């Protein structure tokens, strides 16, 4: 007993001596010791803790780009773990659908079983940051004193390899499958707000398909095969060291179906469409930012590139002319003016900036993108823009000829032959008319016979009603085609009248 008391007395003396020594040490030694102890404590605790955790934040390290892994986990848990959750939330997702989107509520924990291993998931809400930290947030609706939401996955240490090699990759695979199945195509356009441009979108369901396009069948098949080959050419582009992109130039008169062709491309490939308005972008840096915000598997459209290119070139020439005039008036300001001219290029979108966007260093940031330019005047474009590599394929959208007319007649009137087809084909070969004008003539105007409507209502579902319906459609087709013939004849007469010389000129020629 006395021995044990002596041990405690010795221990107390040692602690008192250590306390005295500690009080004599400088303050910076105290801070270093606290830092060492605070760093060692988590390590010691982890040695005794049999569980590990992975945090998946809603936004990435950059704080302005959404973390796709967060979306993948949300989709996976929504389809596998909602039955065991007690706290759920509902919201409207896709603007084109009325079905509510059910998902986990914040602070809700669910358990998932994968190959015999238990996985605990929890959606953690936004949390306050430490006091004294000043962070500028770029997230919409995210204040500077909050951390974004995150999923936390907890699992046993012995399942670490299973989680990293199998479980998380399966979640990503499941997300991609669900996205491909339920994907809603979107139409984006750039919008300027508070001096900065960003993309806004709406659901995009273009009705146009390639079998509805009014153009030569063989040309249409050639374009479809080219698009399909591009979609399947990932390995080829990687092999030859070329960015996985392709450029198309759609040129032709207004009304020949350039916008319809873009919709058909989106339907065939299942891509989103980005309608880029260059006139609302301030400079090349803003253009690059917008380009980096586009997604893979997308069609980037720049319409009426001839007008935009002329504007860009004119601005550049005016800037150079102004600088030249000022240089001639004062040679002492030569260096200053040249620098200011370069700075002016940074204050607007230049043609060189656009070319870098299409086929330069920045074009390799992303994959599986299609650039589509449209123009009504292909002869006005700069050869630097239309050369191979930037524009891989030129597609001429021409006037409506007989083959294209038959496609329109099939789509609008559901007929493949008619007694007026021969006359219409001859007229289409003689005059230039756009598919839009022909389609307008083929649209039934809704004039229906009241007596026939009454009989159809009385005989709904009867064979005779089907016969009368076919008769009515036939009459509509007759009226539409007859109206098209009259329209084409009127255009032909106007063309001949404009081509004929005036009567006064003919009389003067005879007198001579």
């Amino acid at each position: 007993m006395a021995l044990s008391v002596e041990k405690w007395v010795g221990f107390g003396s040692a602690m008192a001596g250590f306390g005295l020594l500690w009080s004599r040490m400088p303050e910076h030694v105290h801070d270093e010791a606290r830092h060492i102890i605070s760093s060692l404590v988590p390590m010691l605790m982890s040695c005794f803790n049999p569980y590990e955790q992975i945090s998946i934040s809603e936004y990435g390290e950059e704080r302005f780009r959404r973390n796709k892994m967060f979306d993948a986990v949300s989709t996976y848990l929504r389809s596998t773990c909602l039955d065991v959750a007690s706290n759920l939330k509902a919201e409207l997702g896709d603007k084109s659908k009325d079905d509510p989107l059910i998902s986990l509520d914040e602070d809700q924990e669910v358990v998932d079983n994968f190959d015999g291993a238990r996985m605990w998931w929890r959606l953690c809400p936004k949390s306050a940051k430490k006091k004294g930290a000043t962070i500028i947030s770029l997230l919409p609706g995210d204040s500077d004193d909050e951390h974004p939401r995150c999923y936390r996955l907890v699992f046993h240490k012995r399942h670490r390899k299973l989680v990293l090699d199998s479980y998380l990759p399966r979640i990503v695979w499941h997300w991609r499958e669900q996205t491909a199945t339920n994907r809603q195509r979107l139409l984006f356009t750039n919008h300027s707000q508070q001096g900065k441009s960003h993309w806004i979108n709406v659901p995009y369901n273009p009705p146009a398909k390639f079998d509805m396009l009014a153009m030569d069948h063989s040309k249409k098949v050639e374009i479809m095969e080219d698009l399909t080959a591009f979609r399947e050419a990932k390995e080829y582009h990687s092999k030859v060291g070329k960015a996985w992109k392709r450029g198309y130039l759609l040129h032709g008169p207004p009304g020949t179906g350039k916008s319809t062709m873009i919709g058909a491309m989106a339907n065939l490939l299942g891509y989103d469409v980005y309608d880029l308005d260059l006139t609302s972008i301030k400079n090349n840096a803003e253009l690059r930012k917008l380009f980096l915000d586009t997604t893979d598997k997308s069609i980037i459209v720049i319409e009426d590139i001839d007008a935009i290119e002329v504007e860009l070139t004119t601005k550049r020439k005016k800037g150079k002319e102004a600088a030249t005039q000022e240089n001639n008036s004062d040679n002492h300001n030569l260096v200053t003016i040249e620098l200011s001219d370069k700075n002016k290029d940074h204050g607007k979108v230049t043609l060189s900036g656009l070319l870098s966007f299409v086929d330069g260093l920045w074009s390799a940031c992303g994959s599986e993108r299609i650039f589509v330019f449209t123009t009504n005047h292909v002869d006005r474009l700069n050869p630097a823009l239309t050369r191979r590599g930037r524009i891989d394929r030129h597609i001429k959208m021409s006037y409506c000829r007989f083959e294209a007319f038959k496609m329109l007649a099939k789509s609008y009137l559901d007929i493949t032959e008619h007694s007026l087809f021969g006359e219409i084909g001859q007229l289409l070969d003689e005059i230039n008319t756009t598919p839009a004008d022909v389609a307008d003539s083929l649209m039934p105007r809704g004039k229906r016979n009241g007596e026939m409507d009454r009989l159809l209502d009385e005989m709904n579902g009867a064979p005779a009603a089907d016969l009368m319906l076919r008769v009515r459609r036939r009459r509509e087709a007759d009226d539409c085609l007859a109206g098209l013939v009259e329209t084409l004849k009127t255009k032909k007469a106007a063309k001949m009248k404009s081509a004929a010389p005036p009567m006064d000129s003919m009389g003067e020629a005879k007198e001579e």
Side-chain angles (χ1 to χ4, degrees), residues 229-407:
F230 166 79
R231 183 175 56 186
E232 300 172 354
K234 178 179 181 180
E235 294 182 359
Y236 172 77
H237 284 82
S238 177
K239 177 183 177 182
V240 300
K242 183 179 179 182
W244 192 9
K245 66 178 186 62
R246 193 156 181 81
Y248 291 86
L249 176 64
L250 308 182
H251 60 93
T256 52
K258 294 185 286 294
S259 298
T260 306
M261 170 67 77
I262 295 171
M265 287 179 171
N267 266 329
L268 177 67
L269 300 173
Y271 289 1
D272 293 331
V273 175
Y274 288 82
D275 184 14
L276 182 61
D277 180 14
L278 288 176
T279 59
S280 65
I281 302 175
K282 294 189 303 183
N283 49 43
N284 292 335
E286 193 170 291
L287 176 64
R288 287 192 293 268
K289 174 64 170 61
L290 284 172
F291 175 65
L292 290 176
D293 287 341
T294 60
T295 60
D296 298 342
K297 296 186 177 182
S298 60
I299 300 175
I300 301 172
V301 180
I302 303 178
E303 296 189 286
D304 298 325
I305 186 60
D306 56 306
I308 296 174
E309 185 196 358
V310 168
E311 184 177 352
L312 295 179
T313 306
T314 303
K315 286 182 179 180
R316 191 178 184 88
K317 287 182 178 179
K318 287 183 178 179
K320 290 183 177 180
E321 290 175 358
T324 302
Q325 293 176 2
E326 193 170 352
N327 288 341
N328 293 334
S329 63
D330 189 357
N331 292 330
H332 295 289
N333 295 331
L334 179 62
V335 177
T336 305
I337 292 169
E338 285 187 353
L339 291 176
S340 65
D341 183 47
K342 291 181 180 179
N343 290 333
K344 288 179 183 178
D345 286 345
H346 293 291
K348 61 179 180 293
V349 178
T350 62
L351 182 59
S352 60
L354 176 61
L355 297 181
S356 177
F357 168 72
V358 176
D359 184 42
L361 293 175
W362 294 96
S363 65
C365 298
S367 62
E368 204 169 351
R369 289 188 174 99
I370 290 179
F371 295 91
V372 177
F373 299 90
T374 69
T375 179
N376 298 331
H377 308 282
V378 67
D379 54 313
R380 298 180 184 177
L381 295 181
N382 193 318
L385 178 63
T386 59
R387 70 166 177 81
R388 293 293 179 182
R390 288 172 179 157
I391 303 297
D392 300 289
R393 191 177 184 89
H394 294 235
I395 301 176
K396 183 178 181 181
M397 309 298 292
S398 185
Y399 292 105
C400 185
R401 303 305 178 196
F402 186 59
E403 289 297 323
F405 159 75
K406 289 195 295 184
M407 295 295 304

Side-chain angles (χ1 to χ4, degrees), residues 51 61 107 158 171 176 183 195 199 291 297 326 355 420 490:
Y51 294 96
E61 292 291 339
D107 280 329
R158 64 174 177 268
I171 290 176
R176 295 190 185 280
R183 185 173 183 268
W199 293 110
F291 175 65
K297 296 186 177 182
E326 193 170 352
L355 297 181
L420 293 176
T490 302

Side-chain angles (χ1 to χ4, degrees), residues 3 137 142 177 244 280 374 489 508:
L3 182 62
S137 175
D142 186 23
E177 287 291 315
W244 192 9
S280 65
T374 69
K489 286 182 177 179
E508 293 176 359

Side-chain angles (χ1 to χ4, degrees), residues 97-118:
K97 298 179 181 179
D98 296 329
D99 297 334
L101 188 64
I102 309 298
S103 58
L104 295 178
D105 200 359
E106 294 178 349
D107 280 329
Q108 171 65 57
E109 184 176 283
V110 292
V111 180
D112 185 29
N113 292 295
F114 180 76
D115 286 351
R118 291 171 65 85

Side-chain angles (χ1 to χ4, degrees), residues 29-46:
V29 176
H30 294 178
D31 294 337
E32 291 293 335
R34 292 192 192 99
H35 176 72
I36 294 173
I37 294 173
S38 61
S39 62
L40 290 177
V41 168
M43 297 176 59
L44 294 174
M45 292 181 63
S46 64

